Amino acid sequence: MSDITLRAPTDDDWPAILALAQLSLSELPNSLSQDEWLNNRRSFSPSDGIQRHFVAISDERIVGYACVEHRNKNIDGRETLDGVYRLFVVVAPSARHTLATRLLAKLRECLIDLAARRAWVVEYEADAGFLAYLKEMGFVKLKSFKLEDGNPMVEMTIDAPFQSLV
C-alpha cells in the first residue's frame, strides 16, 4: 500500500465506504444488510450529536473508514453520557494491522480533542481477529449480546487517556 492520506468523506464516497464495509462483513455469517449499515453511518445530523468521519485514501481509492460518534439521545430517548463516544473502523482484512492502527491514532486525536472519558466499539463475535486486535490496543470486553437476527456481538470499551491507540 502506497502513501495513505486521511480526509473527511464526501457524499460521493459512500458507495466506496459501503463496498469496503461489505468486504469486511463478507467474512462473517448473517452480517448486517448493506442498507442498514449505510443508514446507521449516515444517520447523524449536527443537531443529533458529534460526528467525525475520515476516509483513508491510497492510490486515489478509499482503503479505510473511521469515525467517532456521539448521539445526544439513545434510541429509547434517554440522554447519553457525556464524554462517551462510539468508534467505527472499517478496513480490508488484509490491511487490518497497519491501516487500523493509523485510523485508531486519528480517532485518538479526536477523543482527546473532545475531552472523551471513554470510547466503545461493538463488533461481531465471529470477527475474532479484529476483537483480538482491539484487545491488543487496550480495549476490554464489557458485555456480549445478540442482535435481533441472532448474531452474537461483543461490546468493548477503553478509558482515557487512550495511550495505546497510537
Side-chain angles (χ1 to χ4, degrees), residues 53-109:
H53 295 272
F54 303 94
V55 290
I57 308 292
S58 177
D59 296 327
E60 298 183 24
R61 70 183 176 91
I62 294 174
V63 294
Y65 166 77
C67 67
V68 173
E69 297 178 344
H70 177 76
R71 287 191 187 267
N72 293 329
K73 293 187 186 283
N74 288 320
I75 293 171
D76 62 9
R78 290 182 298 134
E79 297 289 321
T80 57
L81 297 173
D82 287 338
V84 179
Y85 297 87
R86 184 173 182 179
L87 306 181
F88 282 89
V89 177
V90 179
V91 297
S94 61
R96 182 164 285 154
H97 286 288
T98 55
L99 186 53
T101 300
R102 172 106 185 257
L103 290 170
L104 281 170
K106 182 64 175 176
L107 296 180
R108 176 185 184 265
E109 292 174 22

Side-chain angles (χ1 to χ4, degrees), residues 92-155:
S94 61
R96 182 164 285 154
H97 286 288
T98 55
L99 186 53
T101 300
R102 172 106 185 257
L103 290 170
L104 281 170
K106 182 64 175 176
L107 296 180
R108 176 185 184 265
E109 292 174 22
C110 294
L111 291 169
I112 291 169
D113 184 49
L114 294 165
R117 295 183 335 224
R118 176 175 292 152
W120 60 281
V121 296
V122 172
E123 189 58 54
Y124 287 95
E125 190 175 273
D127 196 352
F130 193 55
L131 292 172
Y133 172 76
L134 290 172
K135 190 173 180 180
E136 288 174 20
M137 298 305 289
F139 284 85
V140 295
K141 181 178 174 179
L142 188 62
K143 65 181 178 179
S144 296
F145 62 95
K146 288 190 178 186
L147 296 176
E148 289 180 11
D149 63 8
N151 271 313
M153 305 296 290
V154 176
E155 182 176 335

